[in-house]
Amino acid sequence: MIVSQQKPIDEILKMLEGEKSVFVVGCNGCAEVCETGGEKACVELKQKLEASGIKVAGCTVVDFMCNKLLDSLKILRHKKKIDSADSILALTCGIGVQAIASVIDKYVHPANNTIYLGGFQGLWPSIEKCAECGDCVLDLTGGICPVINCSKSLLNGPCGGTKNSKCEIDKELDCGWEKIYNRLKKLNRLENFQKLVKLRDYSKMFPSAELRNTGFYDIEKE
Amino acid sequence: MRLTELFSKKFVVTSEIGPPKGWQIEKCLQEAEHLKGKVDAINVTDNQSSVMRFGSLATCHFLKDRGIEPVYQVVCRDRNRIALQSDILSAAAFGIENLLLLTGDHTKLGDHPQAKPVFDLDSVSLIYAVKKLEEGQDLAGNKLESEPPKFSIGAVVSPCSDPVEPQLIKMEKKVKAGAQFFQTQAVYETDKFVKFMEKAKQFGVPVMAGIVVLKSVGMARYMNENVAGVYVPDNLIEELKKDKEKTKSGQTGIEIAAKLIKELKPYCQGVHIMPLGWDDKVPKIIELAGLS
């Protein structure tokens, strides 16, 4: 079970600045249980977006957004609407965002922060990982997580250690920041990389008292 | 003396020393004495190559005592934001005025590969933290007591990287965060450096080209294979091959370094010579390059 929490609406609107329309995709797995994915959350967020003047070109749910095959099939079914939108807003965990971003050349914004892996770690069927940092930066990095893909978890760009696109710690390991750079360049969003100093807030890694009182945690209590 | 005050007056030359693996620092300080009066300041590396050594801050303090201007190198690998800010305040009290702030190599490359790589801050956020200290606040926004510190804030960039655009974007971020001068990774490809400077000059900060003295053919090949952002072209390798004795004595390395400095000088505001132990060769390089 991956626990996620929706980002504040102001933060979501800030991500969408300069865009006119989005396609909303919600995850029907863990995020649905957390009420941060699934139809209910999608409809509620759709209303908030429209109230703020953002057109929702379409909306769908995927049973498990960490599954790229399911993502791809859903994208195909809604291709026209997705093509007409400026970007995708994904109501899922960090893995779901990265999984869908990896199968489509469209900018994907994360609607949630991922907080906790609960008791069932390691079940997602894709190579994407989430560090549950509680402060999702995938919106800045084109859907490729720098906390996971950079060996130093750098948030402000690559170090000087990239050689032939590989990381200084391992000649077989791709440089995460070069992947992010290539993706942002391809999607014409390099200005995200230029944005100023991102500082990690480690205090967000610990689930708040409010979150610890939700149903999932109750089951875990003795 | 802050390096930033010098750039408008002269072509600035710095070199560097690495503290020893042990606490007896005298030999290292004597190496620095070779360079006294020949260079404008001497960088002191911070656990370079992720190898645990005597501290950079303490070495800078000793240099200062001997009338040598230090550049205190600070990496983000070993300390979190609390320790980094604390050490930088200590540096101010020791009269250290020049900083070089960098991310640092990964712990895996050094002699304690099992260590936790910290990287709580990175080079950009560390520069931002120092800027905040200069404004009288810590990174969390708490007010500092009494006068804030004042430094020349240095940063690094890798001008011969491929692709170079990510390096340029990060360089711009560093400038916006507060970096006031740059020292670069080793440069052997003058044309690449010139192209880089065409784009970098818009940031309006002095750039010191990095010069690493070539000691042997093996070293050049090793760097080509393993060191990021560095490529020694074939013609320089041929030059090292030509006269084995001359290369072994260091003469070829000195000549190549001096030649590179002459070629790069019109395009930058200084050079940073990294002798990697061949400190005694630095005065000769400076002389041959016409900088003495």
Side-chain angles (χ1 to χ4, degrees):
Chain A
M1 170 73 182
I2 297 172
V3 180
S4 56
Q5 198 172 27
Q6 197 173 89
K7 284 177 180 282
I9 184 72
D10 290 347
E11 194 182 329
I12 294 174
L13 291 173
K14 200 156 188 296
M15 288 179 196
L16 301 175
E17 249 172 30
E19 295 184 9
K20 291 189 182 74
S21 66
V22 287
F23 188 90
V24 173
V25 189
C27 176
N28 233 352
C30 309
E32 198 272 335
V33 182
C34 300
E35 298 185 323
T36 57
E39 261 186 62
K40 187 167 167 270
C42 286
V43 169
E44 281 173 13
L45 191 56
K46 180 175 182 247
Q47 285 166 355
K48 285 184 192 167
L49 292 171
E50 284 172 343
S52 303
I54 291 177
K55 193 182 159 220
V56 176
C59 188
T60 191
V61 290
V62 179
D63 274 353
F64 299 99
M65 272 177 72
C66 50
N67 185 316
K68 287 186 236 183
L69 180 62
L70 295 180
D71 291 338
S72 304
L73 292 172
K74 267 288 160 76
I75 285 168
L76 272 179
R77 197 181 296 166
H78 295 274
K79 196 170 176 309
K80 262 193 181 160
K81 284 180 181 169
I82 292 174
D83 284 347
S84 78
D86 290 326
S87 64
I88 291 173
L89 182 62
L91 285 72
T92 175
C93 66
I95 299 155
V97 176
Q98 294 178 80
I100 196 161
S102 75
V103 294
I104 184 166
D105 285 343
K106 192 96 191 169
Y107 212 82
V108 181
H109 302 283
N112 298 337
N113 287 325
T114 306
I115 313 282
Y116 190 67
L117 284 187
F120 294 99
Q121 295 100 319
L123 284 180
W124 54 91
S126 67
I127 59 162
E128 284 74 20
K129 287 182 187 168
C130 175
E132 314 141 77
C133 71
D135 192 11
C136 192
V137 295
L138 286 165
D139 186 60
L140 283 175
T141 55
I144 297 169
C145 178
V147 178
I148 287 296
N149 286 282
C150 168
S151 65
K152 299 174 184 172
S153 297
L154 303 180
L155 297 184
N156 288 301
C159 66
T162 318
K163 182 110 181 162
N164 303 324
S165 306
K166 302 293 177 189
C167 175
E168 69 182 21
I169 68 162
D170 183 341
K171 283 181 182 168
E172 300 290 313
L173 186 66
D174 291 333
C175 166
W177 267 101
E178 198 163 309
K179 285 202 279 190
I180 293 169
Y181 162 75
N182 289 333
R183 168 103 176 145
L184 292 175
K185 194 170 180 182
K186 188 174 183 183
L187 298 181
N188 208 16
R189 297 270 185 148
L190 269 181
E191 75 272 10
N192 280 3
F193 182 176
Q194 286 151 338
K195 279 185 187 156
L196 259 185
V197 193
K198 184 69 196 163
L199 267 169
R200 177 104 175 249
D201 181 351
Y202 280 85
S203 69
K204 288 188 174 170
M205 286 190 83
F206 302 99
S208 65
E210 188 194 342
L211 194 71
R212 291 200 307 274
N213 286 329
T214 57
F216 169 71
Y217 287 89
D218 277 344
I219 297 167
E220 294 287 304
K221 281 178 191 160
E222 286 181 15
Chain B
M1 183 222 32
R2 287 200 285 271
L3 279 185
T4 39
E5 290 163 14
L6 277 185
F7 289 106
S8 59
K9 297 177 192 144
K10 68 187 290 271
F11 189 77
V12 179
V13 181
T14 54
S15 188
E16 76 180 31
I17 55 164
K21 181 106 187 162
W23 65 274
Q24 284 166 313
I25 189 77
E26 192 50 40
K27 194 169 152 264
C28 167
L29 296 175
Q30 275 167 15
E31 282 166 14
E33 295 274 357
H34 282 300
L35 306 168
K36 192 175 176 178
K38 313 267 185 205
V39 296
D40 296 300
I42 298 178
N43 285 38
V44 182
T45 50
D46 180 9
N47 293 307
Q48 71 268 29
S49 312
S50 308
V51 171
M52 191 288 295
R53 293 165 195 271
F54 188 87
S56 171
L57 178 57
T59 308
C60 287
H61 179 41
F62 285 127
L63 287 183
K64 196 84 195 169
D65 271 355
R66 296 186 178 211
I68 298 169
E69 199 57 49
V71 178
Y72 173 30
Q73 290 198 188
V74 185
V75 302
C76 298
R77 176 192 57 241
D78 308 317
R79 285 157 290 177
N80 72 4
R81 65 189 81 181
I82 298 174
L84 288 167
Q85 291 178 95
S86 172
D87 281 355
I88 285 165
L89 288 179
S90 306
F94 286 142
I96 294 162
E97 294 179 284
N98 301 299
L99 303 176
L100 189 81
L101 308 174
L102 49 172
T103 302
D105 292 331
H106 197 281
T107 42
K108 237 185 140 180
L109 306 186
D111 69 348
H112 288 60
Q114 310 84 352
K116 179 178 184 181
V118 179
F119 302 113
D120 178 22
L121 299 184
D122 56 29
S123 50
V124 180
S125 48
L126 180 57
I127 292 165
Y128 176 73
V130 174
K131 197 74 197 152
K132 292 269 283 184
L133 292 177
E134 289 189 340
E135 288 163 6
Q137 279 186 14
D138 67 15
L139 199 48
N142 305 301
K143 230 173 137 351
L144 300 184
E145 290 168 22
S146 64
E147 280 294 298
K150 180 75 193 126
F151 299 101
S152 268
I153 304 176
V156 297
V157 66
S158 199
C160 301
S161 281
D162 181 28
V164 76
E165 195 183 10
Q167 286 290 323
L168 281 160
I169 296 175
K170 197 163 178 186
M171 182 183 184
E172 188 179 6
K173 285 178 85 159
K174 288 179 180 183
V175 173
K176 285 186 177 160
Q180 296 164 305
F181 72 92
F182 281 81
Q183 290 178 336
T184 79
Q185 174 62 290
V187 177
Y188 296 102
E189 299 160 286
T190 323
D191 48 337
K192 266 196 181 174
F193 182 80
V194 173
K195 273 191 195 140
F196 166 82
M197 282 307 296
E198 276 168 16
K199 290 181 179 142
K201 67 180 176 207
Q202 61 175 312
F203 306 138
V205 288
V207 173
M208 305 175 73
I211 302 290
V212 168
V213 187
L214 289 170
K215 293 181 176 179
S216 64
V217 174
M219 174 193 175
R221 287 200 174 128
Y222 177 84
M223 287 201 293
N224 285 353
E225 194 64 32
N226 298 296
V227 180
V230 177
Y231 185 74
V232 185
D234 289 344
N235 64 319
L236 294 185
I237 293 180
E238 288 307 316
E239 219 170 308
L240 287 166
K241 273 187 191 165
K242 236 184 334 193
D243 186 336
K244 277 185 186 150
E245 280 311 305
K246 210 177 137 197
T247 297
K248 212 173 158 192
S249 71
Q251 189 54 32
T252 314
I254 290 171
E255 285 170 12
I256 292 174
K259 192 176 84 168
L260 283 168
I261 294 173
K262 280 184 181 165
E263 286 173 12
L264 297 167
K265 192 168 178 261
Y267 304 97
C268 55
Q269 290 70 44
V271 280
H272 176 60
I273 305 167
M274 294 168 266
L276 308 179
W278 277 10
D279 315 83
D280 55 330
K281 313 256 185 306
V282 175
K284 190 78 195 153
I285 294 170
I286 293 172
E287 190 194 320
L288 266 183
L291 296 174
S292 47

